[in-house]
């Protein structure tokens, strides 16, 4: 989940070899950055794969094809899970606990009816407390704003998503928002640690403490305490409604954003829409032991029946999420190759799905990415 450089030819750097003053510097010379692996690091790693619903099988299938073409050191343990199931099957959770890493498509969440979201269940069962969505401009993809490179880090396990609802009396429903010191501190620590490790300059806490003075006040208090331990990183705060307005007017002012659960969902989707759409934004969920990678914004999105039937779903978001997964697994060169190939295809503009203004099918985009691999 390293900070993105656009263009992203991160695996090439200018030579630092010494030269005499009389010898002109050869600006065309490039040096490959060497990744010194530990013995055995090239052993293929198992990854739990959940194709999901709707367009999920299409976009996860795209990832499988690209991984095979790259000869990436991963193999998939595939499980069929649908969002209308009552719970995530035990064997799926056992596989993720064993493999530590999962790639998934969207799982549909039925509206109402008391059926809980399996997407949320996974996060709670595995304590995937941090959601990360990277919203950035892709070269060649026209958007309303330039210089957008925002990372939204969202608390994933409590807040309004705690699911604590009940009917007090007929016609009156009570829904509880839960904020704890423990969860607020650890998401703040993750956000500042991310900023520190990825050379980010600022962390912005998003809140509504002017109204929810105790709950969001506790979240802010935790963020402020953690901020004092990172004096080299600027820290500021913004009320969530003003945040949304600022996002659509001056998104370039934001760097890393840390939020409670519900606000993060809204902020990440807004930022994704500004930077090019949910079809191109990568993301993942991580905890102390496990990580699940999926489409960054609107992760539960399963598309519509027409897109699935016509096989025109955009695979870019999940391809970039799988690059994040490769880097998480300590396969940085494979991650770089995949990201470069995707960005080449976007920049060329010949193969794009309908959401990006094109007419290509999922398979046509996949074939173009495979052809673009170095």
């Amino acid at each position: 989940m390293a900070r993105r450089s656009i263009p992203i030819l991160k695996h090439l750097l200018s030579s630092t070899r010494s030269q005499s003053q009389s010898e002109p510097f050869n600006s065309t010379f490039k040096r490959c950055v060497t990744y010194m692996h530990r013995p055995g690091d090239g052993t293929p790693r198992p990854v739990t794969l959940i194709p999901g619903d709707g367009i999920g099988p299409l976009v996860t299938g795209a990832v499988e094809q690209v991984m095979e073409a790259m000869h990436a050191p991963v193999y998939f343990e595939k499980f069929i899970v649908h969002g209308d199931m009552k719970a995530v099957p035990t064997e799926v959770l056992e596989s993720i606990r064993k493999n530590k890493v999962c790639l998934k498509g969207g799982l549909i969440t039925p509206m109402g009816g008391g059926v809980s979201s399996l997407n949320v269940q996974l996060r709670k069962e595995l304590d995937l407390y941090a959601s990360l969505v990277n919203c950035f401009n892709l070269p060649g993809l026209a958007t309303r704003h330039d210089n957008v490179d925002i990372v939204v880090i969202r608390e994933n396990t409590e807040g309004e998503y705690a699911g604590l609802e009940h009917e007090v009396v007929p016609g009156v429903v009570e829904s509880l928002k839960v904020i704890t010191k423990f969860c607020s501190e650890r998401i703040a620590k993750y956000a500042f640690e991310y900023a520190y490790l990825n050379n980010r300059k600022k962390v912005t806490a998003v809140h509504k403490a002017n109204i929810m003075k105790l709950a969001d006040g506790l979240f802010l208090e935790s963020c402020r305490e953690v901020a004092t331990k990172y004096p080299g990183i600027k820290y500021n705060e913004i009320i969530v409604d003003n945040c949304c307005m600022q996002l659509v007017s001056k998104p370039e002012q934001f760097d890393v954003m840390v939020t409670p659960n519900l606000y993060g969902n809204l902020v990440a989707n807004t930022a994704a829409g500004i930077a090019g759409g949910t079809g191109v934004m990568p993301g993942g969920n991580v905890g102390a032991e496990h990580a699940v990678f999926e489409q960054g914004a609107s992760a539960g999105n399963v598309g519509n029946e027409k897109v699935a039937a016509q096989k025109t779903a955009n695979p870019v978001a999940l391809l970039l999420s799988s690059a994040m997964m490769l880097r998480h697994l300590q396969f940085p060169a494979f991650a770089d190759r995949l990201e470069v190939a995707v960005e080449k295809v976007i920049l060329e503009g010949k193969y794009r799905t309908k959401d990006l203004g094109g007419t290509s099918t999922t398979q046509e985009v996949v074939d173009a990415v495979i052809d673009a691999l170095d």
Side-chain angles (χ1 to χ4, degrees):
M1 298 182 181
R3 185 169 189 177
R4 176 170 303 276
S5 174
I6 299 176
I8 197 172
L9 299 177
K10 296 180 291 187
H11 61 307
L12 296 178
L13 293 178
S14 297
S15 173
T16 55
R17 62 178 181 174
S18 60
Q19 294 178 312
S20 66
Q21 291 183 350
S22 60
E23 181 185 357
F25 179 73
N26 181 4
S27 61
T28 62
F29 182 85
K30 301 292 182 181
R31 178 178 67 84
C32 290
V33 176
T34 301
Y35 169 63
M36 190 174 74
H37 70 286
R38 295 166 297 184
D41 274 358
T43 304
R45 294 281 300 275
V47 174
T48 305
L49 178 64
I50 303 174
D53 298 312
I55 64 171
L58 266 178
V59 293
T60 55
V63 173
E64 289 183 277
Q65 291 182 61
V66 174
M67 291 292 173
E68 183 177 355
M70 292 172 58
H71 304 291
V74 298
Y75 63 92
F76 294 105
E77 296 179 359
K78 189 182 298 186
F79 293 88
I80 304 302
V81 181
H82 297 294
D84 57 1
M85 293 178 173
K86 291 185 178 179
V88 179
T90 302
E91 59 269 24
V92 177
L93 292 172
E94 289 175 351
S95 174
I96 300 174
R97 290 190 175 106
K98 172 178 67 74
N99 297 333
K100 308 297 185 184
V101 176
C102 172
L103 182 73
K104 67 177 282 290
L107 293 171
I108 193 169
T109 300
M111 299 296 177
V115 179
S116 62
S117 167
L118 295 197
N119 299 295
V120 174
Q121 277 189 34
L122 265 178
R123 297 164 194 163
K124 290 184 177 180
E125 285 285 342
L126 300 170
D127 196 25
L128 305 172
Y129 67 86
S131 164
L132 186 149
V133 182
N134 190 188
C135 302
F136 56 93
N137 293 123
L138 277 163
L141 187 60
T143 59
R144 292 179 180 272
H145 297 276
D146 297 323
N147 302 315
V148 177
D149 188 8
I150 302 170
V151 173
V152 181
I153 294 176
R154 160 193 175 194
E155 204 292 317
N156 235 359
T157 61
E158 57 178 17
E160 293 85 351
Y161 283 61
L164 300 175
E165 296 182 312
H166 64 278
E167 189 174 44
V168 182
V169 295
V172 179
V173 172
E174 186 175 54
S175 180
L176 301 180
K177 172 177 177 172
V178 177
I179 298 289
T180 64
K181 180 78 169 176
F182 173 77
C183 289
S184 297
E185 280 188 347
R186 70 176 181 174
I187 195 63
K189 287 177 182 177
Y190 186 85
F192 276 93
E193 186 175 53
Y194 177 90
Y196 172 68
L197 293 174
N198 290 280
N199 195 30
R200 295 278 182 164
K201 307 303 182 185
K202 181 171 68 173
V203 173
T204 301
V206 183
H207 67 94
K208 191 64 177 174
N210 57 325
I211 302 299
M212 285 169 273
K213 299 182 185 297
L214 292 179
D216 284 22
L218 178 59
F219 175 78
L220 281 187
E221 176 186 310
S222 302
C223 290
R224 290 166 184 168
E225 289 178 3
V226 174
T228 63
K229 301 175 183 178
Y230 292 85
I233 298 173
K234 183 179 178 181
Y235 170 71
N236 67 346
E237 300 166 356
I238 189 169
I239 296 173
V240 64
D241 39 354
N242 182 34
C243 173
C244 293
M245 187 273 289
Q246 294 290 335
L247 270 173
V248 298
S249 57
K250 297 179 181 178
E252 64 278 358
Q253 69 183 286
F254 295 107
D255 192 354
V256 176
M257 306 176 78
V258 60
T259 78
N261 207 333
L262 179 61
Y263 307 156
N265 192 16
L266 305 175
V267 168
N269 278 273
T270 303
I274 291 164
T278 58
V280 295
M281 299 301 143
N285 306 276
V286 67
E289 300 292 333
H290 313 95
V292 174
F293 295 87
E294 58 190 357
Q295 178 175 307
S298 295
N301 177 31
V302 298
N304 58 52
E305 293 180 2
K306 184 178 180 181
V307 171
Q310 294 179 343
K311 301 184 185 302
T312 56
N314 190 345
V316 169
L318 202 64
L319 286 172
L320 292 177
S321 295
S322 67
M324 289 173 59
M325 179 189 76
L326 288 170
R327 197 165 282 111
H328 178 81
L329 290 169
Q330 300 298 312
F331 300 133
F334 287 93
D336 289 345
R337 286 178 62 205
L338 177 50
E339 288 177 335
V340 168
V342 169
E343 292 186 0
K344 283 181 180 178
V345 172
I346 295 294
L347 181 60
E348 185 182 48
K350 185 177 179 181
Y351 297 100
R352 293 184 181 180
T353 48
K354 186 177 180 180
D355 60 311
L356 300 184
T359 59
S360 301
T361 64
T362 306
Q363 190 59 52
E364 287 172 338
V365 175
V366 172
D367 291 341
V369 170
I370 291 173
D371 289 342
L373 288 168
D374 291 328

